[in-house]
Amino acid sequence: MLNSKDYKLFDLISIPFKIVPAQTIATIFYMLLDSLVPAYQTLVIAFFINTATDIFNNRADFSEIYMPIGLIMAYLIVTHLFPSIMQIIETAGRNKLNVILKKEIVLKRARLEYKHIENNETWELVHRVCEDPVGFFMNGFNNVLSGINLLIGTISLLIIVMSSTFITGIVIMLVSIPLFYIAMKTGKENYTIGLEAQKIKRKYTYLADILSNRDYAEERSLFGYSPAISERYDKLYEKSYKIEKKIQIKSFINLKSGSIVALLIGIVIVGLLLPSLNKGELSIGLFISLVTAIFSLVQRMSWQLSYTMQQHARVKEYLKDFSEFSKLSEKENADDVPADVDNFMFHSLEFKSVSFKYPGAERNVLDKCSFKLLNGKNYAFVGENGAGKTTIIKLLVGMYDEYEGDILINDKNLRDYSFAELKGLISVVYQNFSKYALTVKDNIRLGNILKHDEEKINRIISDMNLVGMIRELEFGVDTYIGKVKKNSKDISEGQWQRLAISRLLYSSSKINILDEPTAALDPLEESRLYEMFRDINLNRFTIYITHRLGAAKISDEILVVSEGHIAEQGSHEQLMQYKDGIYQNMFESQKSWYEAESKVHNV
Ligand code: ADP
């Protein structure tokens, strides 16, 4: 249903029509009925007044009054009963629309190519679109209908006037044009100023989050930055408040001046109708009811039109964003579950002269990068921050495929593997690994959703030294962790890390990668965790990524990444032989981190 295309106002009606046809038809039907109410009201009141005057002047029988009274009663019933019924219908429609439309949007978001997630501009667009899509669609839908409603209401009244006195109808149309114009202009203006206020609001909401959210609590008290942030918050709040006040005052002035103009127009119209009444072109009943209807219509136009135009500008902006979002490229088969790779015999992974630059960037991040890794060994990629280590992994897992050169797994091109196969084959624990507010067990099980192996989970828990932590939890492995649920228990950063690594261990992947998930630990702790991981994971091909060499020493082979390619490769001992080599220099400068440890061991 969510196609890549330019979404237009018409889609605001056609999409709800596809999802909730009955409710959409009912709403449109009601809108049409409601738009004819002013004309109907005018005609039946005129009918009633004319009949009543005829009875009063003995030109008609009393029983003739029943008909206009009946029509007025019908009008009263419809205008009082229908809105409540419509509200019920609309709520049901909104709920269904919510479920279906939101699901489509969430799926689209999940299928987006990774480059859109890393690109700030597109990611902001995604945020804007996903914030409240259903609200926008409903709002847009109602706005289009209320515009049509206003138009039909006005035209039908004009037809009534014109059918009695054509010239007066034309004059009324001409005097109403400025009113339309003013309303449209102020509507757009208000929207533009409102955008500015929105931007500022977003900024101060973020500051408010820093001041109150518990994720910032430690640093808040450590650095004592609250007063400074608070001052900035106050300034922004004040600025946005001033803008909003300006909009409100402007709207108020527009409304009031609009009402005065409307009143004047009303008086002019009444003046214009008087000669027709005199000449007998208009009955007294029609004159009185027309005057009432015209006053209320012009009054309504003076505020509703401006509001409708303001909303219209908002909805149009949203549709532009929505169209752009719908056209963002998707990763093929992105939502496939990992393939079962139990029978896959991995033997080699090779990069052959791979060059890559990030979309929109000028410089190659990887530059003719070549290496070959074999099963049965552990490898470490080391190098300064920004050398390109993580980028190698991003290409390997298929996040980007606009690279030059070839990546081969078992001598078969990476591009010839399905995304599901790659997901099954490769597991990564990233530096910013995810913390799921689920149970301990589910945090591990997410590593392989195809299988449920209780025994394996227990083994991993024991290997990863998590038994002690779990013993302290009220419901053991079934305790919810994190900060989301009321009864859930938060655990330490190190414990989250162990859980993330457990997830990798639980997967059946053949290529396991630890991309500095331990960056938050000190160098010694990192080495210990990597050693523990190596001991548990002896038979699995593993790549460690680190800029700290203590952890690299445990690998069979080390690859030094520098300026986007492999500058040195070999065992620790071999690399230490290169006089003035990158590895040797790095090792010398980091040696002191590990010396304390060896002293402790030597005692
Ligand atoms: P490492 O893992 O060795 O620290 P990365 O592979 O993360 O290095 O980054 C290599 C280079 O690519 C850095 O200069 C970094 O700024 C740049 N880079 C990383 N991600 C992106 C991105 N999404 N868009 C543009 N440049 C990026």
Side-chain angles (χ1 to χ4, degrees), residues 393 397 426-430 500 504 509 511-515:
I393 306 307
V397 296
I426 308 169
S427 260
V428 189
V429 188
Y430 291 103
L504 175 139
S509 59
I511 301 173
N512 307 287
I513 302 166
L514 297 188
D515 185 358

Side-chain angles (χ1 to χ4, degrees), residues 118 358 361 363 365 383-392 394 400 515 545:
E118 286 207 326
Y358 281 100
R363 194 176 61 87
V365 171
E384 301 292 339
N385 274 331
K389 305 183 292 293
T390 298
T391 307
I392 292 176
K394 284 186 195 163
Y400 289 92
D515 185 358
I545 299 216

Side-chain angles (χ1 to χ4, degrees), residues 270-292:
V270 173
L272 287 170
L273 288 176
L274 273 174
S276 310
L277 177 71
N278 233 355
K279 281 187 242 159
E281 288 167 350
L282 276 182
S283 67
I284 178 79
L286 191 55
F287 176 77
I288 295 174
S289 59
L290 260 181
V291 169
T292 325

